[in-house]
Amino acid sequence: MELSRNKLKKIHGYEEGKSDSIDPESLDKALAYKKNFLKNFISINQTQIESRLSSGKFFVTRKYDGEYAIIFYDRGTTVTVNRSGRVREGIPCIEEAGKLISEAGIQQAIIPAEIYVHDTERKTRVNDLISALADKNKISSLKLAVFDILEVDHKNFNYTSYKDIHDRLLSIFGNGILCSVVDMEIVNSGEKVSFLFRKWVDEEGSEGLVVRTELPVTYKIKPRHNIDVVVVGFSEGTGIEAGQARSLLTAMIPENGKYQIIGRVGSGLYETLRKDMYKKFIKKR
């Protein structure tokens, strides 16, 4: 990894830079990982669990409501890169990640993770993350949940099941506080997956579940809610996502002539749809 520190700017107690602040090879790895990872994703809701996951070995992990942040570590330097190529350094959870990797005797690593706001008193959502990133007094509330291994000391990590990945992550981040390993349970039936959904999602407020199988198929399970919204804004993709609508800003209409912003949508949109939306929305910019 090559980091152009002169392109990083100090903001809100940490440093942040655009995609050109990291070398192209590392940037391509970060952007390609997310795209390739999603290829094997099948989205279902809680009502479909037992019909789609009848039997087998299921590696169930907790899904956090945050932002994809792949960790790049290289001989003492630690940054994260998000899905749009934004580079961040100096956030306490990122610093802890680098410390733990170094203590494990690793010289270089690429570790996919999710950055999110941790709060024991209430459920947190991605909007809380956006707020925390804009306030130097809140960045200490940010945590990283690591869930995969892309490279260790310039070698791809070989594994036979997701348990191998999780065990290796525990050996590196097992003592982490701000950077820790995603919660995981191994179960053998859809009924037990449903139990974890009720526990982690309904009771504890997690965003959803990610269920890996022994086949190259991964299920993303989130609560199903139907809601009619209007798109009032969009962001454009960069790099390999150029010419696509990356995320949508949505609103509801409480009464004629008034729009109430309710949030943004960025996941669950396949590539062809993103391109079609971009062509439509760019004319209305």
Side-chain angles (χ1 to χ4, degrees), residues 120-137:
T120 58
E121 301 297 324
R122 64 183 182 88
K123 299 178 182 179
T124 61
R125 296 292 182 246
V126 69
N127 287 339
D128 295 299
L129 171 65
I130 295 170
S131 175
L133 288 170
D135 186 343
K136 65 180 180 181
N137 296 318

Side-chain angles (χ1 to χ4, degrees), residues 3-49:
L3 185 66
S4 300
R5 294 191 177 278
N6 61 318
K7 295 183 179 180
L8 298 178
K9 295 182 179 180
K10 291 185 177 181
I11 58 170
H12 315 308
Y14 60 95
E15 294 185 320
E16 183 174 278
K18 297 180 180 179
S19 57
D20 61 352
S21 56
I22 196 170
D23 66 281
E25 182 180 357
S26 296
L27 178 64
D28 287 345
K29 287 180 179 180
L31 300 182
Y33 173 83
K34 182 69 173 182
K35 185 176 181 180
N36 292 333
F37 184 61
L38 289 175
K39 282 181 180 179
N40 295 323
F41 257 47
I42 297 176
S43 295
I44 62 175
N45 62 64
Q46 71 271 36
T47 67
Q48 300 171 291
I49 293 175

